[in-house]
Amino acid sequence: MGINRRNLDDIEFIRANLMGPSSIVMIEELTSKLSLKKGMRVLDLGCGTGLTSIYLALKFGVTVFATDLWISATENYQRFSEFGLENQITPIHADALHLPFANHYFDAVISVDAYQYFGANEQYLDRHLAPLIKEGGIFAIAMPGVKVEFDVVVPAELQPFLSPNGEDIHWHTCEWWRKLWEESPNVCVESVREMSCFSKAWSEWLQSDNDYARENIALLNADDGKYMNLISLIASKK
């Protein structure tokens, strides 16, 4: 008799391991048109509890390096083992600014709801990330964003939930991200767009048994579709 393994149809397991708007919902849309093939080496950057790494391994058969700073490698390894993926996903505990990988090592980098924290500047892409990706390799980023730049002042409706001057948020528009990445000599930007899964991804998060999710209900109600969105950014390595 075979060993019973977990699968990603277990909605309670997914909700118990979410850390924000559903990373599973986001990665489904993000990767829907990517050419990921079995045997590719993929960096899952800011993988959190590893849900996206599990999805990539099961869906595409790729070899995943699940890298995160806040969740321990041991904790993620235990989760990967529950799916029988301990030989296909390597858990890494590392800072995005000090990634322990060789240059030109990866066929693709995927990052879901993480890149905005460390990559919203002019240095990160070229200095820390692009060198690790092979020529022609894939960059696929999904993250929270906004429909208009907040500039200096956060809209009044959102100020009870965010700092008034926006110093603690890292959300930007599609246009802001496109401009930042198009200035890089190392990547060719293929698409930057608003994702269609906003409502579904946030709904899954708000239904989870998580104190942060419960706090976010008021934020989503205050926003009422005016400002917040989800953004996908796809590029290739020159």
Side-chain angles (χ1 to χ4, degrees):
M1 182 179 295
I3 299 174
N4 290 324
R5 300 289 192 184
R6 284 193 181 275
N7 62 66
L8 283 179
D9 293 329
D10 186 345
I11 189 64
E12 294 306 317
F13 173 83
I14 291 174
R15 287 177 178 169
N17 287 285
L18 291 178
M19 299 176 69
S22 176
S23 55
I24 292 294
V25 172
M26 293 171 71
I27 200 169
E28 284 178 340
E29 181 172 338
L30 179 67
T31 61
S32 61
K33 296 182 180 179
L34 295 185
S35 297
L36 297 174
K37 299 177 182 178
K38 184 177 181 179
M40 282 184 167
R41 286 197 291 257
V42 176
L43 170 60
D44 186 0
L45 183 57
C47 68
T49 57
L51 293 178
T52 48
S53 300
I54 294 166
Y55 178 87
L56 290 166
L58 292 175
K59 175 74 174 180
F60 299 103
V62 295
T63 299
V64 185
F65 291 75
T67 305
D68 198 81
L69 178 62
W70 303 113
I71 304 299
S72 76
T74 298
E75 184 181 333
N76 274 339
Y77 179 72
Q78 292 171 346
R79 259 187 295 274
F80 302 151
S81 297
E82 292 181 35
F83 286 79
L85 296 170
E86 62 271 23
N87 295 320
Q88 194 176 337
I89 308 175
T90 301
I92 308 282
H93 181 259
D95 190 319
L97 297 176
H98 302 284
L99 295 170
F101 305 113
N103 287 352
H104 315 297
Y105 188 72
F106 293 104
D107 298 285
V109 56
I110 309 288
S111 184
V112 175
D113 195 9
Y115 191 84
Q116 70 275 14
Y117 293 114
F118 45 79
N121 58 72
E122 296 176 351
Q123 295 79 39
Y124 185 78
L125 175 61
D126 295 320
R127 183 178 299 175
H128 297 283
L129 189 57
L132 307 181
I133 311 304
K134 298 177 181 178
E135 182 178 347
I138 298 167
F139 298 79
I141 313 296
M143 56 196 161
V146 287
K147 299 176 182 180
V148 295
E149 285 295 323
F150 289 169
D151 296 323
V152 178
V153 179
V154 169
E157 304 96 306
L158 305 185
Q159 287 186 16
F161 315 101
L162 309 171
S163 65
N165 62 4
E167 64 183 6
D168 64 346
I169 62 173
H170 311 274
W171 300 340
H172 293 284
T173 63
C174 290
E175 292 76 16
W176 189 96
W177 283 106
R178 178 181 291 279
K179 183 176 184 297
L180 181 68
W181 277 51
E182 284 183 342
E183 291 175 353
S184 168
N186 294 302
V187 302
C188 177
V189 177
E190 298 177 6
S191 73
V192 186
R193 64 178 182 82
E194 188 171 298
M195 302 178 77
S196 62
C197 64
F198 179 91
S199 295
K200 184 177 181 181
W202 275 99
S203 176
E204 289 295 332
W205 168 235
L206 298 182
Q207 292 179 66
S208 65
D209 185 20
N210 185 295
D211 288 339
Y212 291 109
R214 285 185 280 272
E215 291 176 4
N216 283 167
I217 292 174
L219 169 63
L220 268 291
N221 288 337
D223 180 78
D224 196 27
K226 294 178 183 178
Y227 305 107
M228 297 168 58
N229 63 7
L230 296 174
I231 291 172
S232 74
L233 194 165
I234 308 294
S236 59
K237 175 73 178 290
K238 289 183 179 177

